[in-house]
Amino acid sequence: MQLPRSAAVASRLEILDECGSTNTELASRASGADGDGWPDFSVLVTANQTDGRGRLGRVWIAPPGQTLAISVLLRPRLPAGEPLEIDHYGWLSLIAGIAMTNALAPLVPAHSVRLKWPNDVQIDGRKVAGLLAELLPGGRSVVMGAGLNLSIGEADLPTPTATSVGLNDPVASDAELADRALAGYLGELGRLYAEFLRFGADPEASGIGEQLRDLCSTLGSQVRVLLPGGNELLGTAVGIDGSGRLTVKKSSDGGVVAVAAGDVTHLRYE
């Protein structure tokens, strides 16, 4: 697999023929004895991930050669050089979701590409990519993982609510699709990440908050949120707060609850 556009964007790009989990592999390399050789915005990618993980402990299964598993190392520092406070790390996965949404939209111009909170990218309401952030030991670096369905056919999709870029009339050929998608994602991620840090991790001053609200299909939707621990929340998604949490107006009593993590389902009422 050749990725010349992507190599020009990453500070370091390693392409693996096969990998169990790119997140696990990059985390190991970045925190090991040779960790200094993996600077901020290093990237590990494969088209054949055999032991991928999704959010909430799910297994991510992908046919070889038809998807991209992408992991980006982020070592966030503010303009004066001080480390980013851990309270702001929740925005990094949201920034990655914005970046993937922006990157895929030009590849499928006849379709709607939107972000379902917190980090599922959808084409016409069907999931095409998901993101998973994992904190490295020491709490000062993050591996940002992304799984992108490139050219999976309808019969091989993991769920009926999934799709692939290739099923939506992409402007790039299969040979170019991986490099264009990855380079677009890395370019957008790098730009948004730099702006977020330049403005001191302020989501509004950096414009990240506004972009998220513009792209987020969850806002205004009736939702069911399965919370960590198994509790369920029903209501209307009404906003995203300064910490990146989804705010939900409860159907039961009209109270507003901020959700930091959960499995969100968009409900449709006839």
Side-chain angles (χ1 to χ4, degrees), residues 7 32 36 64 85 101 111 159 187 253 259:
D36 290 346
E85 291 294 331
T101 305
H111 300 270
T159 71
D253 59 14
V259 177

Side-chain angles (χ1 to χ4, degrees), residues 62-92:
Q66 299 178 34
T67 64
L68 276 185
I70 308 155
S71 291
V72 182
L73 178 65
L74 302 178
R75 301 189 186 273
R77 299 291 185 271
L78 296 176
E82 68 273 30
L84 180 68
E85 291 294 331
I86 196 73
D87 291 349
H88 299 294
Y89 272 45
W91 278 98
L92 297 178

Side-chain angles (χ1 to χ4, degrees), residues 38-191:
W38 294 87
D40 185 41
F41 222 70
S42 295
V43 181
L44 204 65
V45 63
T46 186
N48 186 13
Q49 181 170 250
T50 60
D51 190 25
R53 300 186 305 278
R55 289 180 61 250
L56 305 177
R58 296 191 180 102
V59 176
W60 189 71
I61 300 172
Q66 299 178 34
T67 64
L68 276 185
I70 308 155
S71 291
V72 182
L73 178 65
L74 302 178
R75 301 189 186 273
R77 299 291 185 271
L78 296 176
E82 68 273 30
L84 180 68
E85 291 294 331
I86 196 73
D87 291 349
H88 299 294
Y89 272 45
W91 278 98
L92 297 178
S93 60
L94 296 169
I95 287 170
I98 297 170
M100 185 65 79
T101 305
N102 288 342
L104 296 184
L107 297 178
V108 289
H111 300 270
S112 172
V113 185
R114 304 276 285 166
L115 178 62
K116 177 188 169 190
W117 187 93
N119 43 29
D120 283 352
V121 180
Q122 299 178 324
I123 299 177
D124 296 335
R126 301 174 71 186
K127 182 175 177 178
V128 68
L131 299 113
L132 177 67
E134 297 187 84
L135 196 63
L136 266 63
R140 294 302 186 186
S141 300
V142 172
V143 171
M144 181 61 58
L148 173 62
N149 296 338
L150 278 175
S151 56
I152 303 177
E154 193 78 42
D156 294 321
L157 291 170
T159 71
T161 56
T163 190
S164 68
V165 180
L167 287 172
N168 291 277
D169 311 309
V171 296
S173 66
D174 285 352
E176 298 178 353
L177 196 54
D179 197 20
R180 288 192 58 175
L182 179 57
Y185 170 59
L186 295 178
E188 285 292 307
L189 179 58
R191 178 181 66 82

